[in-house]
Amino acid sequence: MTSQIKNYDEYVSAYKKSIEDPEAFWDQEAKGFTWFEAYSKVLNWDFNQAKSEWFINGKTNITYNCLDRHIKDRGDQTAILWEPNEPNDPVRKISYKQLLDEVCQCANALKSFGIKKGDRVIFYMPMVPELAIGILACARIGAVHSVVFAGFSAQALHDRINDAQAKLVVCSDYNKRGAKFIPVKKVVDEALNMGCPSIEKCLVHRNSSETVRWNWDRDIWWHHEVHKQNKTCIAERMDSEDMLFILYTSGSTGKPKGVVHTCGGYMVYTAYTFRNVFQYEDRDIYWCTADIGWITGHSYIVYGPLLNGATTLMFEGVPTFPDPGRFWAICEKHNVNQFYTAPTAIRALMAKGNEWPAQYDLSQLKVLGSVGEPINEEAWHWYNEHIGYQTAPIVDTWWQTETGGILISPLPNITDTKPTYASYPLPGIQAVLVNHEGQEIIENEVEGLLCIKHPWPSIIRTTYGDHERCKNVYFSAFPGMYFTGDGARRDKDGRIRVIGRVDDVINVSGHRMGTAEVENAINQHPKVIESAVVGFPHEIKGEGIYAYIISQNHLTDDNLKQEIIQTVAKEIGPIAKPDHIHFVEGLPKTRSGKIMRRLLRKIAAGDFDSLGDVSTLINPEIVDNLIHSRKV
Ligand code: PRX
């Protein structure tokens, strides 16, 4: 078992030890896991090569540590507690013993389809237990899972399948989300019809009684093939540095990249951070509302909780169905002790009024988490008062797909909390602020670019199929450091507040979107000549998507707007739909032909008074035009 910090002195001493001797610190943590063969060295690293290797030559299997290891003491305890979309439909409680059986059956089914260690398997599924079972089954046999959020379009799914060269896609027939009934398999069919030559089979989980189109050569029902399998499957011996999963995420340039995490370090770090950040105690009920399609779901619905023998709640639906009290109804119904959600959800529910949480008893909540985007002060206070009754501390957890686990967060009842601050780095995390020249800023009460000076066990290993890209994106801006892409502020006591991205990535409702990616999608519309996308402040989403578009013949009608929005939904998915389309006559460009995005961001935000120096523009006259058309 991983260790648990209990008070401030223990945090200070753990942090000190982790900085003075990181290898000794993580060696001690890693010893709490089952290794089939001990590692010979804790760490090899060279940030100039984007290289970090942890627990070298160690052999383990994360599912052995998530499941088999708990059977003796907690075989009958609920591992996954599943709340369906419809509040009156039956809840599913899957014990550790049952989960192990089902994971083994699914693993044996995967083997029977010819899936072997190292093969990639894509998941495109709603929030059903079979998604967790499926990814654990991959990990059991050493196949690499790559979950694609089921809100992405067929095109986006197709691109990810091909980038990963996946052999198998696992999906459901339908996805129930609130009042919506989404034909998931149809999207998969569309993606595969676009051409995915590496795909051999499609495993379909039945989530409805509807019929679906069937390809007899390719499609296999989960309930036919999985349930008949043997319930034993020996866990594959995985090297610490064997790939565990690929998760695609957006960057400032090009197509989304496949962030690669490996078995050993990811296991140790997610377990450690889950235990400490949520102060999980035996028999607590823990709920993270994220979707498993994002890193938060991987690390803090599936792996972190199961590694700790926790009961993890999984919710199929949405916060506002059948009414905006649903989250709080679930907290009361299942006696949730730790609740982890995103600021967007908090803001959306706050806007529905205090009467919704007031109908429920939330006194059993011990810790409230926030993740994915900066939490504004108003939302923080509302969460604290109306959900936490001013007694459950808020852990504002800062991290990224690439970091695998939480890097900066308060520890509840151990370190203090301050609205909008993710506060202090966790043990093992050497977080620094640097200026644009890459010099470390030592003083407090400053702003800077957030970098990490030393690897931690779940740091990104590579971007799938393109290690140079990994080097360039994360390790080249400031040699010798991992650059997060975020700007941050440090207060006088050293607490860190993450302000937001400093690159061309926008954070919409806690989801990362590359501006270039959205522009590429917009440009697919035949009547679009050029576009530029920036983020702008949005009351609920944190940031919204603002698109400046030059259209053919300077068309500006609403039909064209709708068509463009639909094009983006088709290319990426509904989450990337622009919130505001501004047809313009030109875009502000520098002599080298670069769009001056700083200016576009200010105009989108309605901040016209401090536009800064525009003398380097080749078309400065466009500025007044943009301001004028923004105002009308
Ligand atoms: O800008 C930061 C923001 O989300 C980015 C990472 O996005 P993603 O890889 O999708 O992972 C989200 C879930 C871990 C970061 O670069 N971000 C994440 N958490 C916070 C945050 N910004 C401010 N405060 C946070 N707590």
Side-chain angles (χ1 to χ4, degrees):
M1 269 296 167
T2 185
S3 65
Q4 188 166 354
I5 294 167
K6 287 282 174 208
N7 54 48
Y8 186 70
D9 289 344
E10 284 182 22
Y11 163 69
V12 172
S13 90
Y15 190 78
K16 189 162 176 279
K17 182 174 172 196
S18 76
I19 302 306
E20 288 171 358
D21 193 348
E23 296 190 35
F25 179 82
W26 290 113
D27 181 33
Q28 199 178 345
E29 287 307 324
K31 286 208 167 92
F33 296 84
T34 301
W35 296 87
F36 303 148
E37 199 175 313
Y39 41 88
S40 52
K41 190 165 187 283
V42 175
L43 172 66
N44 275 334
W45 67 294
D46 178 1
F47 272 178
N48 293 321
Q49 297 306 319
K51 179 173 125 173
S52 311
E53 295 169 348
W54 284 88
F55 313 115
I56 322 291
N57 295 323
K59 303 284 184 274
T60 186
N61 186 297
I62 196 166
T63 71
Y64 189 91
N65 284 287
C66 283
L67 302 171
D68 307 60
R69 197 169 50 125
H70 301 311
I71 297 303
K72 188 167 147 280
D73 295 335
R74 54 181 93 239
D76 295 326
Q77 182 200 308
T78 302
I80 295 178
L81 172 54
W82 183 75
E83 167 76 16
N85 182 54
E86 293 286 343
N88 297 325
D89 279 356
V91 163
R92 282 169 70 183
K93 291 185 177 179
I94 304 175
S95 70
Y96 271 91
K97 176 79 188 58
Q98 286 166 331
L99 186 59
L100 175 60
D101 288 351
E102 297 203 28
V103 167
C104 286
Q105 285 187 310
C106 184
N108 286 328
L110 296 180
K111 280 188 185 171
S112 77
F113 311 146
I115 303 296
K116 297 184 299 297
K117 181 174 175 180
D119 288 341
R120 276 81 55 214
V121 177
I122 295 270
F123 288 82
Y124 187 79
M125 289 176 86
M127 284 288 287
V128 289
E130 283 71 17
L131 173 53
I133 292 167
I135 66 175
L136 290 164
C138 285
R140 188 79 175 170
I141 64 169
V144 178
H145 57 78
S146 186
V147 185
V148 177
F149 173 62
F152 278 117
S153 68
Q155 180 68 51
L157 174 62
H158 161 271
D159 295 348
R160 286 157 176 76
I161 291 173
N162 285 346
D163 188 81
Q165 286 293 293
K167 257 186 161 172
L168 174 74
V169 52
V170 187
C171 67
S172 296
D173 52 357
Y174 284 87
N175 183 354
K176 298 173 198 159
R177 280 180 70 74
K180 290 192 196 146
F181 194 55
I182 305 156
V184 186
K185 168 135 188 327
K186 194 164 155 253
V187 180
V188 173
D189 288 344
E190 261 175 64
L192 298 182
N193 288 341
M194 288 177 196
C196 296
S198 59
I199 291 289
E200 294 172 5
K201 296 278 174 220
C202 176
L203 180 62
V204 188
H205 157 253
R206 189 155 71 184
N207 199 32
S208 79
S209 49
E210 301 292 312
T211 50
V212 283
R213 278 178 77 99
W214 205 250
N215 176 334
W216 292 96
D217 294 332
R218 186 194 69 200
D219 299 342
I220 304 164
W221 279 117
W222 177 295
H223 58 277
H224 285 170
E225 287 304 316
V226 175
H227 295 162
K228 69 180 188 202
Q229 299 287 335
N230 194 305
K231 292 185 177 162
T232 314
C233 173
I234 303 289
E236 184 76 31
R237 281 164 71 89
M238 301 296 287
D239 188 273
S240 296
E241 286 302 329
D242 279 337
M243 238 190 289
L244 175 64
F245 66 85
I246 305 171
L247 189 58
Y248 285 86
T249 189
S250 296
S252 53
T253 55
K255 292 200 161 187
K257 46 190 179 268
V259 171
V260 170
H261 285 290
T262 56
C263 296
Y266 179 82
M267 171 174 84
V268 172
Y269 195 76
T270 53
Y272 179 77
T273 49
F274 174 77
R275 165 78 52 187
N276 283 286
V277 171
F278 298 103
Q279 288 292 307
Y280 185 86
E281 302 285 349
D282 256 1
R283 286 184 286 279
D284 281 347
I285 308 289
Y286 161 88
W287 180 22
C288 166
T289 69
D291 191 286
I292 293 179
W294 311 112
I295 190 69
T296 308
H298 282 59
S299 303
Y300 300 110
I301 294 178
V302 182
Y303 288 114
L306 296 179
L307 285 162
N308 281 285
T311 298
T312 178
L313 195 152
M314 212 177 146
F315 174 42
E316 185 182 31
V318 296
T320 47
F321 179 82
D323 61 49
R326 187 69 191 277
F327 270 6
W328 323 126
I330 296 174
C331 285
E332 184 187 84
K333 175 176 173 186
H334 295 295
N335 278 309
V336 171
N337 301 113
Q338 290 91 0
F339 176 74
Y340 192 27
T341 196
T344 295
I346 299 168
R347 286 190 294 264
L349 296 177
M350 180 171 82
K352 301 285 182 192
N354 302 342
E355 62 272 27
W356 292 104
Q359 293 172 30
Y360 301 96
D361 177 7
L362 303 175
S363 57
Q364 72 290 350
L365 285 168
K366 295 194 282 192
V367 180
L368 301 179
S370 172
V371 61
E373 50 181 321
I375 179 165
N376 51 308
E377 218 156 310
E378 202 191 346
W380 195 99
H381 286 297
W382 187 83
Y383 201 23
N384 184 38
E385 271 168 41
H386 295 276
I387 311 303
Y389 302 164
Q390 296 187 340
T391 53
I394 294 177
V395 290
D396 177 358
T397 65
W398 173 85
W399 57 297
Q400 309 177 297
T401 306
E402 295 85 344
T403 69
I406 299 166
L407 299 198
I408 305 180
S409 169
L411 296 178
N413 300 314
I414 294 171
T415 60
D416 61 9
T417 61
K418 176 173 171 180
T420 77
Y421 279 76
S423 86
Y424 300 107
L426 297 182
I429 305 307
Q430 302 190 27
V432 294
L433 296 186
V434 304
N435 61 22
H436 284 276
E437 286 70 51
Q439 286 149 340
E440 195 174 327
I441 313 171
I442 307 294
E443 310 83 58
N444 282 342
E445 298 225 69
V446 286
E447 278 187 16
L449 304 169
L450 181 61
C451 291
I452 318 288
K453 269 205 306 203
H454 187 277
W456 60 99
S458 63
I459 185 173
I460 179 173
R461 297 307 199 267
T462 191
T463 44
Y464 188 69
D466 191 353
H467 193 64
E468 276 307 301
R469 188 169 180 194
C470 178
K471 252 200 250 179
N472 290 336
V473 175
Y474 307 104
F475 298 96
S476 312
F478 307 112
M481 294 192 211
Y482 167 82
F483 175 44
T484 64
D486 280 328
R489 175 171 179 77
R490 194 163 50 215
D491 76 359
K492 65 177 184 1
D493 304 311
R495 293 183 201 90
I496 293 171
R497 166 195 205 160
V498 175
I499 300 164
R501 305 290 303 194
V502 294
D503 52 8
D504 290 325
V505 169
I506 43 188
N507 193 326
V508 187
S509 306
H511 302 322
R512 257 161 84 167
M513 282 289 137
T515 53
E517 209 185 330
V518 183
E519 287 163 10
N520 287 339
I522 291 174
N523 297 346
Q524 297 301 313
H525 193 285
K527 292 199 179 124
V528 170
I529 294 178
E530 196 180 0
S531 64
V533 164
V534 294
F536 75 110
H538 188 288
E539 220 173 295
I540 302 287
K541 298 178 174 185
E543 268 189 298
I545 299 180
Y546 193 106
Y548 293 89
I549 295 178
I550 308 175
S551 59
Q552 250 175 23
N553 305 325
H554 296 295
L555 290 167
T556 59
D557 57 290
D558 276 348
N559 279 347
L560 180 58
K561 265 190 192 173
Q562 286 314 316
E563 281 176 32
I564 292 172
I565 290 173
Q566 287 317 315
T567 305
V568 176
K570 184 170 159 285
E571 290 292 317
I572 306 175
I575 48 174
K577 282 184 185 174
D579 297 281
H580 193 106
I581 287 184
H582 183 169
F583 288 113
V584 294
E585 294 182 0
L587 292 166
K589 290 199 179 162
T590 62
R591 274 170 229 294
S592 58
K594 273 187 80 172
I595 294 173
M596 198 184 264
R597 287 173 184 280
R598 167 181 67 74
L599 195 67
L600 293 181
R601 276 194 286 269
K602 293 236 166 182
I603 294 173
D607 178 5
F608 308 125
D609 296 332
S610 54
L611 296 179
D613 182 14
V614 295
S615 63
T616 54
L617 291 177
I618 44 166
N619 53 348
E621 71 286 353
I622 199 74
V623 179
D624 278 346
N625 187 301
L626 290 175
I627 293 176
H628 179 73
S629 49
R630 171 68 172 125
K631 282 181 177 164
V632 290

